[in-house]
Amino acid sequence: MRPRDKVPQVRPLARRALLRAGLSAVSVPWFIPGHALGKAAVPAPSERVTVAVLGVGGRGRAHLEAFVHESQVVAVADPQADRRRAAQTRVDAHYAQAHGQGSYRGCAAYNDFRDVLARDDVDAVSICTPDHWHAVQAIAAAKRGKDVLCEKPLSVTLAEGRAVCEAMHRYGRVFQHGTQRRSERAFAFACELVRNGRIGRLHTVRVSSEPSHANPNDPPAPVPEGFDYDLWLGPAPWAPYSPRRCVTPWWYFIADYTIGFVAGQGVHFTDIAQWGLGTDDTGPVEIEGRGEFPSDGLCDTAIGWHVEMTFANGVKLVYDDDRAFPMGVIFEGTEGKVHALCSGVSAEPKELMSTTFAPGEVRLQRPRLHIADFIHSVKTREATAAPVEAAHRATSLCHLAHIAMLTGRKLRWNPQAEQFLDDPEANRLLSRAMRVPWHL
């Protein structure tokens, strides 16, 4: 972040930490009234966790739709004026209807996220900006005493992810990653089958993700009125503005802002793979793979890949694009398989789907959905469904796959030191420079 930022003392939640209201998350169109969701007694604004949403495009708008019911949204930030004004208007209209103007002070709209972090009345932030902003904003929020929900993937480099972990621990902040399948019962059940040995000895995990897409060069154009393009670029290298550069899905496929859908989509499934493996605090020891990249055009991240990773216990993780099988994870053991795909969860033999677990066996299912889980943890200081170390390790698998594609050779990895063994070139790919004056 820029030098003008000053770190205040971390502020405890005080009375908000004592709240124990029942929670339920929603992901619905703008906005469903609370009474339609069965919320007969909605806490007054003064008794709710205060949240700011950074980035109110597609994912940010989805977050707002849940947060207005689970918390008190007091601010939004976005470098595109029309987006932030629309979000502000929607939030104000929702609370005016739910509580009346007398009990609600209004939602503020900012161009610069640092103005949000400077507010002492913000308990938590939801980071829904492009990937190249995630680490900078998460660390800045932690330093300002805010809890953090951060969209996936956690980082654009492995070193950034480790820095976010250190910041959350140093400042004692609650963190939730946007890998929401950890809050879905079907995926939790799939991992429970694996973790409790129902498919025998696990030997192979297969992961599949939609790849990036190529796109022709987009000619430069004037920056639209009301768009702070320099702030949108932030720590990324300067590039001339063009219409597709800053819109979904195209920025996902540009290496200056992300490593493509190998992480943007794939981290959902490397995360479930790690969960089923029980390796949320570690990673593989060998990685080897190949990738296909566009030869020209605006987009330059992988449009196809095949990567194999080996863990210390001998389990092999095979990561392919979705030409291998539809997006998701397949766990293969000596006595069966579990398919945890976007289309649903199934098992071989089929009888595994009626499994019940005995007391003392591994149970992973959560009692609430993802954003509600975050708000609950802000109040109670309990661990979230997708804590920061798990977020980092799942994202790290994507970074390791990407580096294996770039180097084209077998790599040996130390998951404790988070360094490649005897490979300075590969280690240089663990971090990248940021545009002045931005830094972690």
Side-chain angles (χ1 to χ4, degrees), residues 233-282:
L233 287 174
W238 186 88
Y241 172 81
S242 61
R244 290 197 177 190
R245 180 176 293 277
C246 303
V247 297
T248 303
W250 301 109
W251 65 258
Y252 267 113
F253 310 145
I254 301 172
D256 284 345
Y257 317 124
T258 181
I259 59 171
F261 267 3
V262 69
Q265 288 280 31
V267 72
H268 281 301
F269 310 113
T270 59
D271 180 62
I272 295 301
Q274 288 276 95
W275 207 22
L277 279 164
T279 52
D280 278 347
D281 59 351
T282 187

Side-chain angles (χ1 to χ4, degrees), residues 54 81 110 118 124 149 152 175 257 268 301 322 412 424 438 440:
L54 311 183
Y110 299 93
L149 190 154
K152 52 75 194 170
F175 181 93
Y257 317 124
H268 281 301
T301 56
D322 64 0
R412 293 184 300 142
W438 299 97
L440 296 178

Side-chain angles (χ1 to χ4, degrees), residues 22 24 26 32-42 69:
S24 63
V26 293
I32 289 179
H35 64 77
L37 299 170
K39 294 175 179 288
V42 178
H69 298 292

